[in-house]
Amino acid sequence: MTDVQTAVTHPELGVFERARTELTDGQVLEHDWYEGRALIANEELELMLETSDPDSARALLPVIATAVGALPTLSRIASDAVVGRFGDQPPTPEELEEAATDLRVVTVAARMDGTVVLHFEDTCGEHFLEGYWPAVALDSAFEVLDITVEA
């Protein structure tokens, strides 16, 4: 159910609502971010606006739209950065290609400072332990700011 007072809408990316989790006892937790979903290149992506304020969430819509529009480029920049960070030696072109195929963006998050974070899934299970995934933070010029492994 959409709460029209707090939902924000982008013409191409759709509706973003405050993220909520319903516990088994029926209690509902409201999170500090907005979430939406979009079908991009036949893949469903989770989209996050990292704010709890609807006006701030609206201000982040152009940031996330730009990131989604540049996703093929951003994904490659980020997967190359992951390979470079976690490899023992400088990566070969073959290793970069393999990672670009095996690591799939599943979440795009926009932060209030304009940073975009891409969260990846290891589709083959050979690069990261189960339950762990790489995340790459990029600035507005698409420069890599940070690479983390999350659980």
Side-chain angles (χ1 to χ4, degrees):
M1 180 168 75
T2 301
D3 181 347
V4 294
Q5 293 180 340
T6 60
V8 297
T9 304
H10 185 273
E12 287 87 37
L13 300 177
V15 176
F16 291 77
E17 298 179 87
R18 281 288 297 273
R20 293 179 170 91
T21 300
E22 186 171 342
L23 303 178
T24 55
D25 67 359
Q27 181 182 5
V28 176
L29 302 177
E30 188 169 65
H31 301 291
D32 291 337
W33 65 87
Y34 280 75
E35 64 183 356
R37 297 209 172 270
L39 189 62
I40 309 297
N42 295 321
E43 296 282 341
E44 186 176 73
L45 289 179
E46 177 183 23
L47 304 175
M48 296 175 62
L49 306 173
E50 293 188 1
T51 180
S52 60
D53 176 65
D55 291 331
S56 296
R58 283 183 199 86
L60 284 175
L61 291 173
V63 174
I64 203 151
T66 297
V68 168
L71 198 56
T73 299
L74 295 181
S75 177
R76 184 56 190 254
I77 290 168
S79 68
D80 285 358
V82 168
V83 174
R85 167 72 61 87
F86 297 111
D88 295 335
Q89 300 175 28
T92 66
E94 294 79 18
E95 290 170 324
L96 296 174
E97 280 300 318
E98 181 181 327
T101 300
D102 295 344
L103 299 176
R104 182 176 66 89
V105 175
V106 293
T107 303
V108 179
R111 295 179 177 162
M112 287 306 301
D113 65 359
T115 301
V116 171
V117 181
L118 304 181
H119 296 261
F120 287 87
E121 172 185 56
D122 179 2
T123 62
C124 67
E126 294 180 11
H127 303 283
F128 292 88
L129 295 173
E130 186 175 338
Y132 293 85
W133 64 89
V136 178
L138 302 154
D139 66 15
S140 60
F142 303 153
E143 296 292 323
V144 175
L145 296 172
D146 194 19
I147 303 164
T148 58
V149 176
E150 302 184 5

